[in-house]
Amino acid sequence: MNPNPVASPQPVTRPRRLALPDAWGVGVVATALLLSLPVLVVFSFIFYPAGDVWRHLAETVLADYVVNSLLLMVGVAIGTLTMGISTAWLTSMCEFPGRRFFEWALLLPMAVPAYIIAYTYTGMLGFEGPIQDALREAFGWGYGDYWFPEIRSLGGAIAMLSLVLYPYVYLLARAGFLEQSVCVLEVSRTLGLGPWASFFRVALPLARPAIITGLSLALMETLADYGTVQYFGVSTFTTGIFRTWFGLGDSAAAAQLSALLMGFVFLLIVLERWSRRRARFHHTSNRYLQLPRHRLSGTRLALALLACLLPLLLGFVVPAGQLAVWAWQTAGTMVDADFIALTWNSLMLASLAALIAVGLALLMGYGKRLRPTPLMVASVRVAAMGYAVPGTVIAVGVMLPFAWTDNAIDAWMRAQFGISTGLILSGTLVALLFAYTVRFLAVSIQTVEAGLGKIRPTMDDAARSLGMPPRQVLRKIHMPIMRGTLLTAILLVFVDVLKELPATLILRPFNFNTLAVRTFELASDERLADASTAALAIVVAGIVPVIILSRSISRSRPGHEHAA
C-alpha cells in the first residue's frame, strides 16, 4: 500500500468563455429593441394612474368605442369571408368563361384604400349625388318622400371595408385551395360526396388555416382604419385616440386607449393561433395533378359570374371609374404646382421609407441566416410585429418618447450653450420615417427572407472558404441574385407608405402634406370631386403590387407552373 498516495489527476476545468455576439447579432438585437420601442411605450401607460380625461372617457364614450369596434369586426368578418371564400373556390375549382380574368382581377379592390372608396360612394349615394338625383328626377320625389340607405353609418363602413378587404381572404383561401392534393378530393368523390359536400367537409377544413390568417389580416386592417370611420362618424378606438390626443390634449389617456386597442389586436392573434392549435392538416400524397375543375353551365354559370362580378364592380370598377370622371372634370384646377409638390413629398417619403425598411430587412434576414439562434429568431419576430399594430398606436408610441427626447436635448443645450434645438426628432420627418419603418418592416422582412431561402447554403460556404467576410457575401453574391426580390420588397413598402393615413396625420411636420392627407382634407371639406386627382394617383400606384401578388399566387401551386 502506498503510504503517500498520489492524488489521481483531476480533469482541468477551464473557465467557459461567454459566446459574445458578433456585429450582426448586435445589429439585429439592437434594431429589434429600437423598433419595439413604440409598442413598449404604449403598454407602459397601462400602469399610469388614470386621470380625469380617462375617467370621463370611461363614463361616456368608451363603451361606444368597444361596441362599434366589435360590430365593425363582426360585420367585416361576415362580408370578407362570404366574398373571399366563394370567389376563391369558384376560380380555383370551377371552369367558366372569364375565370382566368377573375383570378387576378378580383385582387384589384386591394389597390383602393378604404377611405377613398368611402369618399367615392358618399359622393355617388349621398342626397346630392347622381343616383338620388336621378330617382327624384324620374319619380318626382322630394325630400322626405322616399327612403334611401344612409351610406354614412356603421353599416356603410362595414360595406366599404368589406369591399376592399375581402382580397386578403380571397388571396390566402385560393392559395390554400390550389395547394390541396388532388388525391384528397378524388377520395372524397369516390366515397360518394358531391361537389358541395366535398367543399364543406374536405376542401374548406383543409384551407381553414389559410382562411383564418386572411381573416385576421382583414380584421387588423379594420381596427387600424381611421379615414372611413372618421368620415362616416362612427366612433371607434382610432377616432377616439385622435380626439383624445388633439381635442382633449391628453397624451396619457390617448396612450391608454391605444393600449386597449392593442389588446384587441393581440386577442386576434391569439385566437388565430388557438383556432388551429390542435388541427393538423397534412397531405398523405405528393401527387399534384391538374385540378378537376367543375364545368359550370346554365343557372350555376350565371350565379358564378354574378358572385365574381359584383365584388369586382363594387370594389374597384365603380369607384375607380367615378374617380376618373371627377379627375377629368377637375384636373384643370387641381393639377398645379401644389399638386406636384404633394406628389413629390409622397414619392420622396415613400422611397426613403422603402429603402430604410429593405436595408434593415437585409440586415435582420441575413443576420438570422448567419446565426439562427433563438435570440436572433425572436429578435426578427419582434421587429416584424409592427404590421399588426395600427398606425394610430405606432404614432402615439413614437411621439411620446421622441417629444421627451427633444425636450431633454433642448433643455440641456439651453443650459449649456444658450441654444434652442427645437423639435429635431418629433417635429421633422425623422419621426414619420421611424413610424413607417416600424409599421411596414414586416412586409420587407418576409419578402427578403423568402428570397434568402431560395439561395443554397453551400454558396455561402463556398464564398466563406474563399476568404469572403459575411458582408461581402451579402453584397457580392446574395444581393445580385436577389435583385428582383429586393425590388419587389421596395415596391410593396413604397405603396403601403403612399396609402398610410393615420400615422401621417399625427406625425407629419408642420406645413408638410402628402397625397393621402390632402385627399382626406378635401373629402372632409366635402370637396369630393377635388379630392379625386390625389385619390386616383394613390389607386394607380396601388395596382402595381396587386399585379405582383397575382403573378405570385398563379405560380404557387406545386406540381405545375401554370396552375391558373
Side-chain angles (χ1 to χ4, degrees):
M1 187 173 181
N2 187 356
N4 298 307
V6 178
S8 59
Q10 298 294 320
V12 178
T13 55
R14 297 178 178 174
R16 297 180 64 181
R17 289 184 178 179
L18 291 175
L20 296 176
D22 58 5
W24 287 98
V26 172
V28 170
V29 174
T31 305
L33 286 174
L34 185 64
L35 295 180
S36 62
L37 181 65
V39 176
L40 296 177
V41 167
V42 166
F43 272 120
S44 69
F45 274 85
I46 294 177
F47 308 102
Y48 197 79
D52 293 338
V53 172
W54 175 257
R55 281 191 287 273
H56 171 73
L57 291 175
E59 292 170 357
T60 55
V61 292
L62 187 58
D64 288 341
Y65 295 160
V66 174
V67 171
N68 285 338
S69 297
L70 287 175
L71 289 176
L72 200 62
M73 290 169 65
V74 171
V76 171
I78 294 172
T80 53
L81 286 176
T82 305
M83 289 187 280
I85 295 176
S86 60
T87 51
W89 176 255
L90 287 169
T91 55
S92 304
M93 300 296 177
C94 300
E95 187 61 53
F96 55 93
R99 180 184 62 81
R100 288 179 181 274
F101 166 74
F102 286 119
E103 279 178 358
W104 64 268
L106 282 165
L107 291 173
L108 287 175
M110 191 183 275
V112 187
Y115 55 87
I116 287 179
I117 197 174
Y119 305 152
T120 310
Y121 273 105
T122 302
M124 289 190 294
L125 300 177
F127 182 77
E128 300 294 338
I131 294 179
Q132 292 204 49
D133 268 348
L135 287 174
R136 288 194 295 270
E137 185 75 23
F139 299 101
W141 292 337
Y143 177 76
D145 293 340
Y146 63 97
W147 175 85
F148 197 82
E150 178 57 57
I151 185 69
R152 287 188 171 184
S153 61
L154 180 62
I158 290 173
M160 297 298 105
L161 289 166
S162 298
L163 283 172
V164 296
L165 296 180
Y166 83 84
Y168 285 105
V169 178
Y170 165 78
L171 191 68
L172 292 168
R174 185 162 181 266
F177 291 143
L178 288 173
E179 288 171 359
Q180 290 175 6
S181 167
V182 69
C183 297
V184 178
L185 300 177
E186 285 177 348
V187 168
S188 71
R189 300 300 298 273
T190 57
L191 291 175
L193 295 181
W196 284 103
S198 293
F199 169 69
F200 283 110
R201 298 178 62 179
V202 178
L204 199 56
L206 283 174
R208 195 182 77 179
I211 292 171
I212 296 296
T213 304
L215 178 63
S216 303
L217 290 172
L219 294 183
M220 286 178 195
E221 291 289 336
T222 301
L223 284 174
D225 176 77
Y226 172 73
T228 309
V229 290
Q230 165 68 15
Y231 190 63
F232 282 3
V234 179
S235 297
T236 61
F237 276 107
T238 52
T239 58
I241 292 168
F242 264 83
R243 289 170 192 161
T244 308
W245 183 278
F246 291 109
L248 302 175
D250 192 325
S251 57
Q256 287 168 334
L257 270 180
S258 302
L260 204 52
L261 176 57
M262 278 298 299
F264 274 75
V265 174
F266 283 134
L267 183 63
L268 274 178
I269 296 172
V270 170
L271 284 176
E272 189 267 330
R273 300 286 169 88
W274 176 82
S275 71
R276 51 179 175 170
R277 69 194 192 287
R278 292 181 181 175
R280 297 291 182 269
F281 303 93
H282 299 302
H283 301 302
T284 55
S285 169
N286 291 324
R287 290 179 61 204
Y288 286 95
L289 304 178
Q290 186 69 36
L291 290 171
R293 291 195 173 93
H294 308 291
R295 188 167 292 279
L296 302 179
S297 61
T299 307
R300 291 182 177 180
L301 172 61
L303 290 175
L305 287 174
L306 189 65
C308 292
L309 200 57
L310 273 180
L312 176 62
L313 276 176
L314 299 178
F316 182 78
V317 177
V318 172
Q322 182 63 69
L323 285 177
V325 170
W326 282 339
W328 178 262
Q329 296 170 347
T330 60
T333 55
M334 297 308 297
V335 178
D336 51 13
D338 289 341
F339 180 79
I340 294 172
L342 284 176
T343 307
W344 166 250
N345 287 346
S346 302
L347 296 179
M348 179 266 297
L349 206 54
S351 302
L352 284 175
L355 290 175
I356 293 170
V358 174
L360 290 177
L362 265 177
L363 166 75
M364 307 202 77
Y366 190 63
K368 182 182 160 190
R369 181 185 175 95
L370 283 175
R371 304 280 186 274
T373 61
L375 178 62
M376 297 289 270
V377 174
S379 298
V380 174
R381 285 186 180 175
V382 167
M385 71 180 181
Y387 196 68
V389 183
T392 320
V393 177
I394 290 178
V396 172
V398 169
M399 182 58 84
L400 291 173
F402 276 32
W404 179 87
T405 307
D406 278 341
N407 290 331
I409 293 174
D410 188 67
W412 187 81
M413 290 294 287
R414 282 175 185 270
Q416 298 297 324
F417 306 103
I419 301 173
S420 173
T421 55
L423 305 176
I424 56 177
L425 293 176
S426 59
T428 63
L429 291 179
V430 174
L432 202 49
L433 288 171
F434 182 70
Y436 288 151
T437 306
V438 174
R439 178 91 167 89
F440 300 117
L441 184 64
V443 178
S444 54
I445 282 184
Q446 288 176 1
T447 312
V448 167
E449 282 192 328
L452 284 171
K454 295 175 184 174
I455 301 174
R456 288 178 295 177
T458 52
M459 295 186 71
D460 296 53
D461 299 338
R464 297 297 300 276
S465 66
L466 293 174
M468 276 192 179
R471 65 176 183 281
Q472 283 194 20
V473 176
L474 177 63
R475 185 167 57 86
K476 293 186 176 180
I477 296 178
H478 289 181
M479 289 180 67
I481 294 175
M482 295 168 54
R483 188 178 294 115
T485 301
L486 295 178
L487 285 175
T488 302
I490 289 173
L491 190 59
L492 290 175
V493 178
F494 177 89
V495 175
D496 272 335
V497 171
L498 211 59
K499 294 189 293 185
E500 172 64 27
L501 179 62
T504 314
L505 272 174
I506 293 179
L507 295 174
R508 64 188 168 127
F510 179 72
N511 210 21
F512 182 89
N513 240 346
T514 65
L515 288 172
V517 174
R518 186 60 176 156
T519 303
F520 174 77
E521 289 174 343
L522 289 172
S524 299
D525 294 339
E526 301 300 333
R527 297 171 60 188
L528 297 174
D530 291 342
S532 61
T533 313
L536 195 61
I538 297 172
V539 172
V540 170
I543 291 175
V544 180
V546 169
I547 294 172
I548 293 174
L549 286 172
S550 176
R551 291 183 59 187
S552 170
I553 195 172
S554 295
R555 298 170 181 170
S556 64
R557 178 175 164 75
H560 56 98
E561 293 182 356
H562 302 288

